[in-house]
Amino acid sequence: MPVRKRLSPQESRAQALSAARDLLREEGVQAITLKAVAGRIGRTHANLLHHFGSVADLHRALADQIAHEVATQITSSIGQMRRGEKRMRDVVEGMFDAFIEQRVGELIAWVVLTRQRESLAPIMDAIAEVIRDIRSPDDARPLDQATLGLVLFAIGDSLAGVEVAEACGLPRSAARDMATEQVLAVLAGKKVVGQA
């Protein structure tokens, strides 16, 4: 029997999180169990329990990793937009695509439905970080409102955007069009639907 390479705690966690991400993409968040992840990386359930404590802690660590990667991507896109390299529509497209590819909406929905709301903390921290990173000292625009609308649009779109657009008789891109228009309106200080 081959001898398994001894990994540092950081390497073990990284390997487990990589396997958890693969499971998330391939089978959905319900497939991310300590047993399934351990089986993927050739470790024991006890080994993963040692590194994460519980499956909820594994979900939280995965949410943290994904949230910060997506936040970094969004902040980078906004920086490119400020330099004239991207339009707002490109930022919206990138965010919606990241939420779909990384299964962010599904991860958030699972955390909420399983009443593990404390696991949302990394995602909320990442959103707050985006607002801090993109706000310049002289910028009085309501970036928090623009971000709120954009994140909620992206979550909904990543969960059921195809089906809802089809039910409404609209193209798949309709939610992205609406999100772009709303963000531009909010940043321009214009009233949007539902705003007093």
Side-chain angles (χ1 to χ4, degrees):
M1 177 156 71
V3 177
R4 280 191 301 211
K5 179 187 173 205
R6 185 165 178 83
L7 300 175
S8 71
Q10 294 81 9
E11 290 171 324
S12 290
R13 282 180 64 87
Q15 194 177 61
L17 287 170
S18 177
R21 271 183 109 141
D22 290 344
L23 281 165
L24 177 64
R25 285 189 197 104
E26 295 164 17
E27 301 177 41
V29 74
Q30 76 285 349
I32 304 170
T33 64
L34 293 174
K35 182 178 179 181
V37 172
R40 285 235 171 171
I41 61 175
R43 301 290 168 178
T44 65
H45 178 274
N47 180 267
L48 283 190
L49 203 54
H50 169 74
H51 289 294
F52 293 99
S54 69
V55 72
D57 289 336
L58 174 60
H59 288 165
R60 184 183 174 104
L62 181 61
D64 184 50
Q65 185 182 72
I66 291 172
H68 283 91
E69 284 180 19
V70 171
T72 299
Q73 181 180 334
I74 292 165
T75 301
S76 172
S77 289
I78 290 170
Q80 289 174 308
M81 185 182 73
R82 284 184 173 156
R83 293 189 301 272
E85 299 164 9
K86 285 190 174 186
R87 301 168 300 137
M88 177 57 75
R89 178 57 185 240
D90 300 322
V91 174
V92 170
E93 291 281 349
M95 184 169 185
F96 275 54
D97 289 345
F99 271 56
I100 291 168
E101 290 162 14
Q102 300 297 334
R103 309 281 291 260
V104 176
E106 185 178 337
L107 190 57
I108 290 171
W110 176 263
V111 165
V112 170
L113 291 172
T114 57
R115 299 182 185 266
Q116 301 176 55
R117 284 187 174 266
E118 68 281 354
S119 295
L120 285 176
I123 295 168
M124 301 309 105
D125 291 345
I127 291 168
E129 184 181 320
V130 167
I131 295 170
R132 281 193 306 272
D133 288 349
I134 64 175
R135 188 184 297 279
S136 54
D138 58 340
D139 193 347
R141 294 177 305 164
L143 295 172
D144 49 357
Q145 293 176 31
T147 303
L148 172 66
L150 190 51
V151 169
L152 291 176
F153 259 113
I155 290 170
D157 183 74
S158 70
L159 286 171
V162 172
E163 295 81 2
V164 174
E166 187 177 305
C168 293
L170 294 170
R172 177 73 173 97
S173 60
R176 294 172 188 225
D177 296 339
M178 292 166 59
T180 304
E181 288 169 18
Q182 179 179 312
V183 169
L184 290 171
V186 168
L187 293 179
K190 296 177 184 171
K191 289 184 180 179
V192 292
V193 176
Q195 191 176 32

